[in-house]
Amino acid sequence: MRNNLLLILGLLLISSCSENTPTIVYDEDDKVNTSETVKDTLKYQIGDLPIKIDSLDYLIHPIGEIADSENNKKNTYSYGADNYTTFQLATERGDEIFGQMKNLLFENIKNGETTLLTDENIEIQKVNYLRDVAELSGKNHITYEVIDSDTNNDHTLDNNDILSLYLSNGDGVGFRKLTKKNSNLIDYKTIPELNRLYFKSVSDSNKNSVFDREDEVIYQFIILGINKIIDYNPSN
């Protein structure tokens, strides 16, 4: 019973990380005033157990950071009189992986070769294998919901920064950003019959540092395989 409760609490902690309340800080020239992130000395890097998505010849190893202090509430939860550090970085749900991941290691199960997804300082909150596209086209693609810029200028990457959409091949190669710079991801979906990935984001066009109804909504899609991003506007 106790172990089940701890597992539930851990999953709730991870799922809560997906809530995104971004803000943007501007400098005197109305440019986004991002800052260099500062390494948290109370955290250290670990890996998680590998995840195998069928149809892919790769194991996906999540890599992230956990607190080296029981006082860091972001990475600990209480049960009774004790504090427990959760060492779980990610959880799998079908073709999706949720969590707080700094990187992914792709391991080829046929030859054992490994490849890191990126060398950039980012936070990956969600990974999604596009199975419906693969079933029709035979091509494997993965999308990522990523925080890649400290837009609120607090020297950390977290849910107060904008969320971006990234894409790669099924082996992690070709990792690239899809959403426009300084636009916050709203939603995305695939149209597998057309081999397209549609996505929309919002830009802080009135520059009031938050995203609201007065801002511009950006509509785009990418033709998978060709990797051409096209802007469109369904309201015109």
Side-chain angles (χ1 to χ4, degrees), residues 2-236:
R2 174 170 171 168
N3 289 337
N4 290 339
L5 177 59
L6 294 180
L7 177 59
I8 292 172
L9 289 172
L11 293 177
L12 287 175
L13 174 68
I14 290 176
S15 63
S16 68
C17 296
S18 62
E19 296 181 3
N20 186 237
T21 55
T23 56
I24 294 182
V25 173
Y26 297 95
D27 61 19
E28 295 179 353
D29 297 322
D30 282 341
K31 296 181 180 180
V32 178
N33 190 19
T34 58
S35 66
E36 294 293 330
T37 56
V38 177
K39 181 175 178 58
D40 191 340
T41 58
L42 296 180
K43 292 183 179 181
Y44 61 96
Q45 184 170 287
I46 67 167
D48 216 339
L49 295 176
I51 295 171
K52 175 68 171 69
I53 296 176
D54 59 1
S55 302
L56 293 181
D57 294 327
Y58 291 84
L59 294 178
I60 300 176
H61 300 259
I63 299 172
E65 296 175 339
I66 66 169
D68 195 20
S69 168
E70 63 182 14
N71 295 321
N72 190 321
K73 302 301 181 183
K74 189 175 182 180
N75 290 283
T76 62
Y77 53 84
S78 297
Y79 179 85
D82 301 319
N83 285 336
Y84 295 89
T85 298
T86 172
F87 291 89
Q88 186 176 11
L89 300 172
T91 185
E92 178 185 8
R93 188 190 306 161
D95 293 325
E96 298 176 327
I97 305 170
F98 298 88
Q100 287 182 302
M101 299 159 279
K102 300 295 292 183
N103 211 339
L104 299 175
L105 180 72
F106 286 78
E107 178 187 354
N108 189 317
I109 61 175
K110 293 183 176 180
N111 58 26
E113 293 182 356
T114 58
T115 304
L116 281 173
L117 178 67
T118 180
D119 57 3
E120 299 294 327
N121 179 28
I122 62 175
E123 181 179 290
I124 305 169
Q125 296 194 337
K126 181 180 176 182
V127 180
N128 182 24
Y129 170 59
L130 303 183
R131 181 177 299 276
D132 53 356
V133 172
E135 288 176 346
L136 283 182
S137 69
K139 303 295 184 180
N140 294 312
H141 302 278
I142 299 175
T143 57
Y144 310 81
E145 295 180 25
V146 172
I147 296 172
D148 62 5
S149 182
D150 176 30
T151 56
N152 72 336
N153 201 30
D154 66 352
H155 305 288
T156 61
L157 298 179
D158 56 28
N159 291 333
N160 295 316
D161 299 309
I162 62 172
L163 190 66
S164 300
L165 182 64
Y166 279 68
L167 177 74
S168 81
N169 297 332
D171 55 3
V173 174
F175 186 64
R176 62 174 293 193
K177 184 173 181 173
L178 301 184
T179 46
K180 293 184 178 181
K181 185 177 181 180
N182 298 327
S183 66
N184 188 57
L185 176 67
I186 300 174
D187 197 10
Y188 62 96
K189 68 177 295 184
T190 57
I191 306 294
E193 294 83 358
L194 298 177
N195 204 34
R196 293 180 182 178
L197 171 66
Y198 281 81
F199 51 99
K200 67 178 180 178
S201 58
V202 59
S203 172
D204 182 30
S205 53
N206 61 5
K207 294 191 175 181
N208 65 350
S209 296
V210 296
F211 296 97
D212 52 40
R213 66 177 63 187
E214 303 299 324
D215 290 324
E216 177 191 5
V217 178
I218 302 170
Y219 301 88
Q220 298 174 281
F221 68 87
I222 183 170
I223 304 174
L224 298 167
I226 300 177
N227 291 332
K228 181 180 181 180
I229 298 178
I230 299 174
D231 295 299
Y232 75 102
N233 192 338
S235 62
N236 286 348

